[in-house]
Structures are given as structure tokens and as C-alpha cells.
Amino acid sequence: MSLSSEERAIVVDLELEKAQVAYNETIWLMEKESWSGAAGRLYYALFHVVSALLIHDCHPTNSHKGSHILFGNYYIRTGLLPKEYGTLYSQLESIREEGEYNCVYRVTQEELQQKLIPAKEMMDTITKRLKNNE
């Protein structure tokens, strides 16, 4: 099923909204020192902003793996976005998975704080790109 340009714009806005909500939840969880929960929300903030980008450019996907593959193929390998964004996206997914599924792994404050500013910069860069291309 393909979306009209109007429908696509609505879905992109909804994805960007979800990204911002997830980022705000990240900050709240960090204030509560819930590092694993915050890592999960930060990953989802990036997932939704990447989904918005993919949908905007007519590359929708239905999976996390598909999102990573398409993001890498269309934006990282082509140089449209910095390689560090692809690395950060993958690292946060790994941290989220380890934090949620590995009972002996603990997300630390330090590792999460190292990712917070770069994640926000990535979100802002992609959001700006989308808003400039409306």
C-alpha cells in the first residue's frame, strides 16, 4: 500500500512527535536514574526519527532491522548523513536489547550520558532536514 504525499506528510509528523515524546521520556527516566528504561526510550526516539525520514523519502519499513538496513543504504553509505549516526543508532539498539533482555547487564549512567547529546543532535539534524524538504 502506498501513501499519497498528504498521507505521508501526516505519518512523518506523527513519527516526529513520537520521537520527541520518547526523547522527553528519556530525560525523565534519567532523572529517576532508570538507565535501562532511558536507554530504551532513547533508542526509540532515534527509531521514530529514522522512520520519519524513511517514510518521507518513500522507503517505509516494517521492522527494526529493515530500518537499520535502509538507513545505512540510503543515508549513511551515500554520505547524506554522517557515518556516526549509523553507529550511534546501532549502539543504542544494542544497549536497549542488552538492558532489556540480559539479566546480568546493567546500563550505566556514563554510557547513556555519552549517547544523549549525539542522539539529540541526530534527531535535530534529521528533523531539520525533513522540515526543510516539506
Side-chain angles (χ1 to χ4, degrees):
M1 177 172 111
S2 81
L3 300 172
S4 70
S5 58
E6 295 83 17
E7 292 167 329
R8 199 167 41 257
I10 291 168
V11 174
V12 166
D13 285 344
L14 291 171
E15 288 287 356
L16 291 175
E17 182 180 313
K18 283 188 84 98
Q20 189 58 54
V21 167
Y23 182 80
N24 293 344
E25 291 169 347
T26 299
I27 300 303
W28 186 84
L29 287 165
M30 288 179 76
E31 290 169 357
K32 304 295 181 204
E33 298 183 6
S34 176
W35 310 119
S36 180
R41 298 317 299 152
L42 189 57
Y43 166 73
Y44 276 103
L46 293 188
F47 174 76
H48 287 295
V49 80
V50 166
S51 295
L53 179 63
L54 292 169
I55 292 165
H56 178 272
D57 293 344
C58 300
H59 307 298
T61 181
N62 294 323
S63 70
H64 290 266
K65 183 175 182 176
S67 168
H68 282 273
I69 291 168
L70 293 176
F71 184 65
N73 288 343
Y74 287 106
Y75 304 97
I76 304 303
R77 288 193 183 110
T78 61
L80 291 174
L81 291 171
K83 182 175 84 171
E84 294 79 20
Y85 287 0
T87 302
L88 177 64
Y89 190 31
S90 294
Q91 288 173 340
L92 279 170
E93 182 177 37
S94 294
I95 292 169
R96 177 193 69 88
E97 287 176 351
E98 286 295 312
E100 289 183 8
Y101 302 116
N102 184 339
C103 65
V104 296
Y105 177 80
R106 298 287 182 255
V107 177
T108 66
Q109 176 181 3
E110 293 76 23
E111 84 181 309
L112 189 56
Q113 285 180 327
Q114 290 173 357
K115 307 292 186 219
L116 187 64
I117 291 172
K120 183 64 170 139
E121 289 172 356
M122 179 176 162
M123 290 175 62
D124 291 346
T125 297
I126 292 173
T127 299
K128 183 178 178 183
R129 176 188 180 98
L130 292 170
K131 295 300 179 183
N132 288 339
N133 286 329
E134 287 185 326

